[in-house]
């Protein structure tokens, strides 16, 4: 009889011993909850972009094979934790049961999104993912998930479509951390920074740009992949300058950014491997790089900066920041142009 | 006629196109230098431990075969860049020629160590590695290496044995960055931080502890692997408290650190995979983690912090910091007990 379980979910780890649920090979996803847990009836999974891309590439776009692989991962691991990318995603559902010692202000029947990764969330699927065509990151399904005491989830807002809110929550660490780093730069250096966002036309990128602007950058640069993205970013006025450059080409990226004086803060939001060197070369001495891409290589960044004698601070983008979900929704509510752009991005994912 | 070449050595890349020297398959190692380069007459190569271990294992300890393989790599790639481990090492030599636009304060005839990896340093060997028995990481040789404009090298000090200086240079980013983060914490929060160093008995760890103490921490905690390390760390008074805990056991580490009030700054210096979660759980809200271990998993850290709803800033340890080599030597010069301890660590490596 241990009604109160580990706040971080240690009691759900099946193997290996002594690790946290995120590092676990397998977790126990059974629906009977402890007094400090909550059970969510799952309606939709939203796979992490890097995870979906990896699956899509591994199976050459074969939707049946992708679906079977996702189901196999969930059944085997007790969570949707892509073993190749290490990433997960989020889910939408309804609070089905909360233990008497549950910590968050969420009640039964409320519709919520989880803000912690699927890579650590115990999950069981009831419908064999039959409702999903395997062709997008968003998976309509039926099942349950378990939330621990030390977790985060947010009520879905009334004024956003579900998938837009989900998309916003998915990346809400990026704008919140960007805001904080811009603020710190201003406090420390007593001048506003130039902020470059590599992958500035994407979801996390467009929000990071908005956060940088609102927090008082001197100028914002969006580095985007092609002219189509440039046009879209320009017509939504996401940044002061929109630059087309391949994020994996360090010379192209850094030369383009250098034309605007280089970046004091560089935010990497592009989910492709090999963007570390371009970010390092784009950042001025004394500046900061925030890596939000899950494709970031730790040693590529660490050795790259050393090899280039780059006096830059490099931050691992933490998906959590107190108040990050509300802050991100407020950015979207306050900026009509950004909101329209972000809606299109989020809706476009369903097409 | 292009007397000034790329500061980062792009002009030396032979293949493939458009990458930096570190990522290159082959570089041009010819000794004729550009105006912003320097040529070093090489006296000794110091292979990265992982690289030598791989070669030793591949050739079952056959010293002739190891020597032939190293020579082949250098001749083929124009640099000592182990294709299996991806790592290099450092070199010691004498400045032979500097271009008129060379940036560092090093003059002809000075004895130096390079602080950038051999994996990106153009290198040519004159003596067929004949002076080397193939049985250790240290290779006495004769040859030349080329340094780019944007590179780092340090003069070898008179008051340290060569291998102690090399060991100190190898990890000198850790104490320098630790000092800066402690200083920033004090400025921002207006109180001194508790600093925990995981792997506090090692080379980078002992220096990081000394830096934390000198920069004004309120208390320092060394987390070490076993009681032998604890005794050594205690008798050298590396930290205020020395704690024995397995870095890969998040609960053990965090509970031990929590007994001292938790850490405001946690420095990870232990080269084993799986230490991210222990560091995250050990760090108080609003605190900072610096990851110096090359075994750090980017996604493990990013998703771990998110999954634990941990309000912490996580920094990728950059091996470069302006003045880092001199600062590290000064730490060793100022602290007799630390110096004795560090000498033993560095000398022990040769046995």
């Amino acid at each position: 009889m241990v009604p109160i379980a580990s706040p971080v979910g240690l009691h759900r780890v099946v193997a290996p011993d002594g690790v946290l649920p995120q590092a676990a090979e397998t977790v126990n996803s059974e629906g009977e909850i402890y007094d400090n847990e909550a059970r969510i009836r799952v309606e939709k999974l939203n796979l992490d972009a890097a995870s979906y891309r990896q699956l899509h590439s591994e199976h050459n776009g074969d939707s049946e094979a992708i679906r079977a692989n996702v189901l196999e991962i969930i059944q085997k691991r007790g969570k949707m934790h892509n073993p190749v990318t290490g990433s997960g995603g989020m889910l939408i559902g309804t609070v089905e049961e909360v233990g008497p010692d549950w910590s968050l202000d969420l009640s039964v029947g409320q519709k919520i999104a989880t803000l912690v990764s699927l890579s650590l969330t115990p999950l069981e699927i009831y419908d064999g993912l039959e409702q999903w065509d395997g062709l997008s990151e968003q998976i309509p399904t039926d099942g349950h998930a378990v939330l621990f005491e030390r977790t985060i989830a947010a009520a879905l807002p009334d004024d956003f479509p579900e998938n837009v809110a989900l998309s916003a929550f998915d990346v809400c660490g990026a704008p919140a951390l960007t805001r904080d780093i811009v603020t710190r730069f201003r406090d420390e250096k007593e001048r506003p920074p130039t902020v470059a966002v590599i992958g500035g036309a994407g979801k996390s990128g467009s929000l990071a740009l908005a956060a940088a602007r609102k927090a008082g950058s001197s100028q914002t640069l969006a580095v985007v992949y092609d002219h189509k993205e440039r046009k879209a970013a320009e017509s939504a006025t996401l940044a002061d300058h929109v630059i087309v450059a391949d994020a994996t080409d360090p010379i192209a990226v850094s030369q383009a950014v250098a034309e605007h004086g280089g970046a004091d803060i560089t935010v990497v939001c592009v989910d492709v491997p090999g963007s570390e060197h371009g970010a390092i070369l784009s950042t001025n001495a004394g500046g900061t790089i925030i890596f939000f891409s899950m494709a970031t290589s730790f040693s590529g960044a660490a050795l790259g900066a050393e090899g280039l004698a780059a006096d830059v601070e490099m931050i691992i983008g933490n998906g959590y920041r107190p108040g990050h979900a509300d802050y991100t929704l407020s950015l979207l509510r306050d900026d009509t142009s950004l909101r329209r752009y972000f809606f299109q991005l989020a809706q476009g994912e369903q097409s």
Side-chain angles (χ1 to χ4, degrees), chain A:
Chain A
M1 292 286 288
V2 186
I4 299 296
S6 156
V8 296
L10 286 171
H11 57 292
R12 291 268 177 183
V13 172
V14 175
D17 264 355
V19 301
L20 294 167
Q22 207 260 324
E25 186 53 39
T26 49
V27 299
N28 177 350
S29 60
E30 73 180 11
E32 198 182 331
I33 59 169
Y34 286 78
D35 281 2
N36 57 348
E37 290 183 331
R39 188 179 61 253
I40 309 299
R41 186 71 178 239
V42 177
E43 296 171 19
K44 193 189 278 183
L45 306 177
N46 200 37
L47 296 190
D48 170 76
S51 175
Y52 182 75
R53 189 173 313 123
Q54 184 275 324
L55 290 160
H56 193 274
S57 147
E58 181 178 335
H59 297 291
N60 297 312
D62 176 345
S63 58
E64 260 317 302
I66 295 170
R67 190 166 71 170
N69 196 339
V70 169
L71 190 62
E72 187 201 349
I73 290 170
I74 297 170
Q75 286 170 343
K76 200 166 142 189
R77 308 196 69 170
K79 56 180 181 171
M80 181 48 215
H81 187 180
N82 184 318
V84 179
T85 62
S87 58
M90 334 166 46
L91 64 82
I92 281 180
T94 304
V95 181
E96 197 170 55
E97 188 186 355
V98 297
D101 298 309
W102 171 244
S103 54
L104 291 182
D105 187 23
L106 296 172
S107 43
V108 170
Q110 205 166 9
K111 193 155 189 186
I112 60 121
T114 58
L115 303 187
V116 292
S117 172
L118 287 178
S119 64
L120 60 90
T121 305
L123 175 67
E124 202 169 309
I125 296 297
Y126 302 156
D127 66 351
L129 301 181
E130 273 179 4
Q131 306 170 56
W132 182 41
D133 58 14
L135 291 174
S136 95
E137 297 161 15
Q138 305 212 359
I139 307 180
T141 184
D142 185 25
H144 73 246
V146 175
L147 299 184
F148 314 128
E149 181 180 332
R150 187 162 163 178
T151 194
I152 26 173
L156 284 167
D158 297 330
D159 54 343
F160 291 91
E162 199 174 279
N163 64 326
V164 173
L166 201 58
S167 290
F169 288 160
D170 188 28
V171 297
C172 63
L177 184 53
T178 301
R179 168 200 60 192
D180 293 347
I181 299 300
V182 169
T183 304
R184 181 163 78 196
F185 186 97
R186 291 174 54 108
D187 289 349
E188 279 186 0
K189 317 262 179 179
E190 296 180 342
R191 67 176 175 87
T194 289
V195 178
V197 177
I198 301 176
K203 284 182 291 177
S204 57
S206 59
L207 289 168
L209 283 164
R213 201 166 47 235
K214 201 170 174 182
S217 51
S218 62
Q219 63 173 342
T220 52
L221 314 175
V223 179
V224 303
Y225 182 65
D226 58 20
H227 289 283
K228 193 180 151 206
E229 279 195 353
R230 179 177 60 73
K231 273 192 185 166
E234 279 175 352
S235 72
T237 58
L238 295 183
D240 297 323
H241 304 279
V242 183
I243 301 163
V244 176
D246 178 354
T248 66
D249 182 339
I251 306 308
V253 169
S254 59
Q255 282 179 348
V257 174
E259 279 173 25
H260 300 276
D264 298 306
I265 297 169
T266 303
V267 186
V268 180
C269 289
V270 63
D271 256 327
V272 292
S275 54
E276 300 86 2
H277 288 174
I280 292 165
L281 285 177
S282 298
T283 307
N284 294 333
T288 299
I289 305 169
I290 315 174
F291 289 102
F292 273 106
S293 165
M294 279 299 151
T296 304
S297 157
F298 183 89
S299 60
L303 295 176
E306 185 186 87
L308 294 164
D311 174 21
V312 293
E313 183 167 327
M314 297 184 289
I315 296 180
I316 298 175
N318 179 349
Y320 177 68
R321 205 80 186 163
H324 59 344
D326 287 343
Y327 173 69
T328 302
L329 294 180
S330 79
L331 284 176
L332 290 167
R333 288 188 182 113
D334 291 354
D335 184 334
T336 316
S337 170
L338 172 70
R339 185 167 66 244
R340 193 180 308 124
Y341 182 85
F342 194 86
F343 269 51
Q344 285 169 353
L345 275 187
Q347 309 279 9
E349 290 193 330
Q350 293 203 301
S351 66

